[in-house]
Amino acid sequence: RKEVEQDPGPFNVPEGATVAFNCTYSNSASQSFFWYRQDCRKEPKLLMSVYSSGNEDGRFTAQLNRASQYISLLIRDSKLSDSATYLCVVNSPLGFGNEKLTFGTGTRLTIIP
Amino acid sequence: ETGVTQSPTHLIKTRGQQVTLRCSSQSGHNTVSWYQQALGQGPQFIFQYYREEENGRGNFPPRFSGLQFPNYSSELNVNALELDDSALYLCASGTGPSMDSPLHFGNGTRLTVT
């Protein structure tokens, strides 16, 4: 089983629609969680951290369910500029106080005019 | 605009050769981590350096090695290149040893091994 699993998509949705991405992780000791965005042929950029209480940043809402080891990202009123690959990222302990980030394969989103 | 710069941007090497990739961290950052991103995949964690010491390593063989310098710039060295090493190599800088601090990625070095 992969440490972080995402639906690879692609998701093709019309402008203005709401789209949701899901992600599951296997390591119950994982400590923190993020969504990164990666445009084609560009570097990943942090979109938002994910907290147990859920958090919102404008049109974006992230949720974490530790019991189910499940993370989600909701994008409302999607814009053409939201077209990108969305990477689910999990921070897990390596031991000796070290940590590592594990990225999912990413979910490709294309917003259609 | 990212403050992390990587060089070179593209590189072609032959199987069995050695390669060194370079990364300059964003000003004020003392942590650097390296990732390998194959086509259609997410970045895979190679290792992280904090104040010149390796403080975390992913599932990569010892032929992947690195250094962090006093100015917090970094190198990734790969010996005995294999065809499967062809990928985009990303470095990211941050503050502090924890990987909870936001990472700032460079544009990457695209390595092709023939």
Side-chain angles (χ1 to χ4, degrees):
Chain A
R1 182 183 172 187
K2 286 186 178 179
E3 290 183 66
V4 178
E5 294 203 65
Q6 292 182 252
D7 182 344
F11 283 47
N12 300 314
V13 302
E15 196 174 2
T18 295
V19 59
F21 301 139
N22 303 319
C23 170
T24 58
Y25 61 95
S26 61
N27 187 346
S28 59
S30 298
Q31 302 159 332
S32 45
F33 311 87
F34 312 91
W35 284 100
Y36 275 73
R37 168 195 170 128
Q38 187 171 25
D39 292 291
C40 189
R41 297 192 170 274
K42 297 284 190 179
E43 73 277 15
K45 292 185 179 179
L46 178 65
L47 179 65
M48 57 197 304
S49 301
V50 187
Y51 304 115
S52 296
S53 55
N55 49 300
E56 189 173 308
D57 183 1
R59 299 181 292 108
F60 298 83
T61 301
Q63 295 275 357
L64 166 65
N65 184 322
R66 285 188 185 270
S68 302
Q69 296 181 197
Y70 169 92
I71 306 158
S72 66
L73 176 68
L74 185 76
I75 306 176
R76 291 182 302 279
D77 187 25
S78 52
K79 312 290 185 192
L80 295 176
S81 57
D82 294 334
S83 297
T85 295
Y86 290 82
L87 297 158
C88 175
V89 186
V90 174
N91 183 357
S92 305
L94 278 174
F96 305 103
N98 295 334
E99 304 166 350
K100 72 168 184 176
L101 290 185
T102 302
F103 286 72
T105 54
T107 299
R108 179 151 185 81
L109 172 67
T110 301
I111 305 299
I112 303 165
Chain B
E1 196 70 31
T2 182
V4 180
T5 58
Q6 291 187 243
S7 63
T9 53
H10 294 84
L11 199 54
I12 300 175
K13 288 284 190 178
T14 303
R15 190 171 49 183
Q17 285 187 314
Q18 178 267 343
V19 68
T20 298
L21 310 182
R22 295 181 173 83
C23 173
S24 293
S25 301
Q26 185 163 314
S27 178
H29 287 185
N30 52 19
T31 297
V32 67
S33 49
W34 285 90
Y35 299 83
Q36 179 194 68
Q37 187 172 24
L39 199 61
Q41 301 295 316
Q44 299 296 306
F45 174 67
I46 303 175
F47 43 57
Q48 173 171 282
Y49 282 82
Y50 171 63
R51 292 184 176 176
E52 303 176 61
E53 298 278 337
E54 184 181 292
N55 75 329
R57 188 179 181 93
N59 296 325
F60 280 80
R63 59 189 185 85
F64 286 77
S65 63
L67 283 173
Q68 187 182 32
F69 300 101
N71 65 356
Y72 303 128
S73 66
S74 177
E75 284 182 357
L76 164 65
N77 298 292
V78 187
N79 293 323
L81 284 167
E82 301 176 359
L83 297 179
D84 284 350
D85 295 333
S86 295
L88 179 68
Y89 288 85
L90 294 159
C91 81
S93 70
T95 55
S98 171
M99 302 198 83
D100 281 353
S101 62
L103 295 182
H104 297 260
F105 283 85
N107 291 329
T109 294
R110 187 162 298 281
L111 172 65
T112 302
V113 182
T114 61

